[in-house]
Amino acid sequence: MMNELLVGYARVSTEQQDLTAQRDGLRALGVGDDRIYVDHGLTGTNRDRPGLRLALAACRAGDTLVVTKLDRVARSLPDARDILDELTKRNVKLSLGRLNPRSDRPRRTVVVQRARDGGGVRIRPDPHPHP
């Protein structure tokens, strides 16, 4: 069995913004520098993001895509749902900032709700947070 990998993704919307904080956050969550993919100067509303495409392509079944915040990977609920659907089909987990992706009990959980209206994404606190 292959080892599960952490794949990181970071994005800033303008050329003037800096990716340092997101890169540092991803490293702190255990993502290696060689597994961090970035988009610089691309808004989240633009789904054609080369760094995101590479990050998704780097994920294999059992891997975890790590982002510092949900809005770094998706800027709308439909976009988030599409990305989560793709990850779920491929058996790839999504970890949102300040989580320990290797923990059995993350502090936040991404929940994809299926409903007649097409569902949505919400983040809820872990009922048993770590001290």
Side-chain angles (χ1 to χ4, degrees), residues 12 15 32-33 37 39 67 77 131:
V12 290
E15 291 295 332
D33 285 332
Y37 298 86
D39 281 317
V67 294
L77 287 178

Side-chain angles (χ1 to χ4, degrees), residues 28-91:
L29 291 166
V31 181
D33 285 332
D34 62 332
R35 306 291 294 172
I36 297 175
Y37 298 86
V38 301
D39 281 317
H40 204 131
L42 295 174
T43 67
T45 55
N46 179 0
R47 183 71 195 276
D48 185 24
R49 292 170 269 167
L52 178 59
R53 198 169 43 246
L54 290 170
L56 293 172
C59 292
R60 301 169 307 183
D63 289 350
T64 301
L65 178 65
V66 183
V67 294
T68 56
K69 291 178 15 182
L70 182 60
D71 71 356
R72 297 298 84 200
V73 71
R75 293 293 282 201
S76 69
L77 287 178
D79 188 37
R81 186 180 62 237
D82 290 347
I83 291 168
L84 287 169
D85 284 347
E86 178 182 339
L87 293 173
T88 300
K89 286 177 191 168
R90 296 175 52 210
N91 194 28

Side-chain angles (χ1 to χ4, degrees), residues 19-29 36 68:
L19 287 161
T20 303
Q22 288 181 65
R23 284 182 185 270
D24 289 348
L26 292 169
R27 284 185 202 109
L29 291 166
I36 297 175
T68 56

Side-chain angles (χ1 to χ4, degrees), residues 86-106:
E86 178 182 339
L87 293 173
T88 300
K89 286 177 191 168
R90 296 175 52 210
N91 194 28
V92 174
K93 296 175 283 250
L94 176 64
S95 176
L96 303 177
R98 294 199 186 103
L99 295 180
N100 178 355
R102 299 194 187 277
S103 170
D104 290 334
R105 288 177 26 206

